[in-house]
Amino acid sequence: MPVKDYKKSIFEQFARTGKAFSNAHRIELLEILAQGERTVEQLSNAADLTVANTSQHLQLLRNAGLVTARKVGQYVHYKLSDDLVIDLLVALRKLSERHLAEVERLVNTYLTVKDDLEPIPINELMERAGDGVVTVLDVRPEVEYKAGHIQGALSVPMDQLEDRLGELKPNQEVVAYCRGPYCMLAYDAVAKLREKGFTARRLDEGFPEWRKAGMPVEMKDE
Amino acid sequence: MPVKDYKKSIFEQFARTGKAFSNAHRIELLEILAQGERTVEQLSNAADLTVANTSQHLQLLRNAGLVTARKVGQYVHYKLSDDLVIDLLVALRKLSERHLAEVERLVNTYLTVKDDLEPIPINELMERAGDGVVTVLDVRPEVEYKAGHIQGALSVPMDQLEDRLGELKPNQEVVAYCRGPYCMLAYDAVAKLREKGFTARRLDEGFPEWRKAGMPVEMKDE
DNA sequence: GACTCATTCAATAGAATATGTGATTATTGA
DNA sequence: TCAATAATCACATATTCTATTGAATGAGTC
């Protein structure tokens, strides 16, 4: 095989990986999988796609080596094949934010409160959580909490927050987190908590970034 | 705009960036541009595409915000809009290498000498170049050298190497570099130099990585 | 102003992709 | 064994992407 063909085929291989990121639904699926393992049905619900369609996108992602599947009974569980996929997702987010004015517009329109909430960086939360002086609040749906969460975090899904305020220590600062930079659950939670008189901030990033940073993670039990 | 639409449009924006990386020719163009600024004609030659086709791919890349163009006389010079693009290219390479067995096969087939050549990492070259004890050799085509090269490097394009061996100090170690991890020029150069009795190694990575690492760079003059 | 050259544009045909529908497979539990 | 369910497959269709061709633009030159 001449060098020219070698070059051609290696770029084709890269493009195969790139193609996985060329469709909005697939990116959404990957972002959901960045939270943790999910079944096809869960994914199709979360991304609002038909099951067949979801399945096909997953096949493509699997062929590109980005996700792996394991069958448990009649369910097939998919997950990201490793953290390099998260690296690429993060690089894609950063690049898009930097270069597409439209992204910035969308983010500003929807996350206007962003600067008011004084986000706390991962490192700082890690230190302070160790001292036991903050309540770490996971406001994602319970199923996502069960699949993996920050060590010591309390699960209070957003839609139950108002009813369960009594479970929080009144004088302790609360740090809420959710899925990642474009997830609005934690914003809503902090707004609600402050409204009710709590001292609350949100984690700078989401659960995938926390795990990626090598910080302690738990599964299932609180 | 409801949250659902917001989510939809933000993933669509990410996909727009992703699409740029979904075609082998476009990735090749980006890799070439990672070397430095190029005109449309240079790009079309290097990537072996028609000018019109090259131009169209460049439009797409420009719309995605990945490259910028400036017109000088009748020539249009394109370059990467910033280093985040290189970050994404690198992430894409790494991910593809990890997950596509085919990439590994290609790399092994063509770069079998890889381990024999004891590549020198960027940091180490930086230290040793400061002491003036190594000759740094740029074996890319001269036009690429002129567009930017490692400070103090000597330009000896691969096809002239054999005729210009006299310009090298015989007792000094030579470090050759070229475009990046999949560029074979530096491998060929090291093999040739060793054959002729020189002590030669190749730089671990290429010029884009060197510049990216914040190491000193020169343009035009040697 | 006519000419040349680099680049872009516009139109087209053909290839690849995305999605919905309905059938098929695999597994579980009755 | 049969029914129910999760997931995949197979096909048809609409859409999008890509490469090609030839014309248009626009800057420099004679």
Side-chain angles (χ1 to χ4, degrees), chain A residues 142-160:
Chain A
E142 197 172 351
V143 63
E144 300 187 23
Y145 174 85
K146 281 188 177 154
H149 54 263
I150 293 182
Q151 191 175 59
L154 181 68
S155 172
V156 180
M158 193 52 214
D159 53 1
Q160 302 171 21

Side-chain angles (χ1 to χ4, degrees), chain B residues 133-178:
Chain B
V133 294
V134 294
T135 303
V136 181
L137 203 63
D138 186 319
V139 295
R140 299 174 300 164
E142 198 172 351
V143 63
E144 302 187 22
Y145 175 85
K146 281 189 176 154
H149 54 265
I150 293 182
Q151 192 175 59
L154 180 67
S155 172
V156 180
M158 193 52 212
D159 54 2
Q160 300 171 22
L161 181 59
E162 188 138 18
D163 299 333
R164 295 176 54 187
L165 288 171
E167 296 175 32
L168 300 173
K169 294 181 189 161
N171 298 319
Q172 199 169 61
E173 185 180 10
V174 178
V175 172
Y177 74 92
C178 54

Side-chain angles (χ1 to χ4, degrees), chain B residues 116-118 172-176 189-191 193-194 197-202:
Chain B
D116 293 350
L117 303 185
E118 302 161 60
Q172 199 169 61
E173 185 180 10
V174 178
V175 172
V190 170
L193 286 165
R194 291 191 176 178
F198 286 89
T199 305
R201 296 163 73 186
R202 66 178 195 89

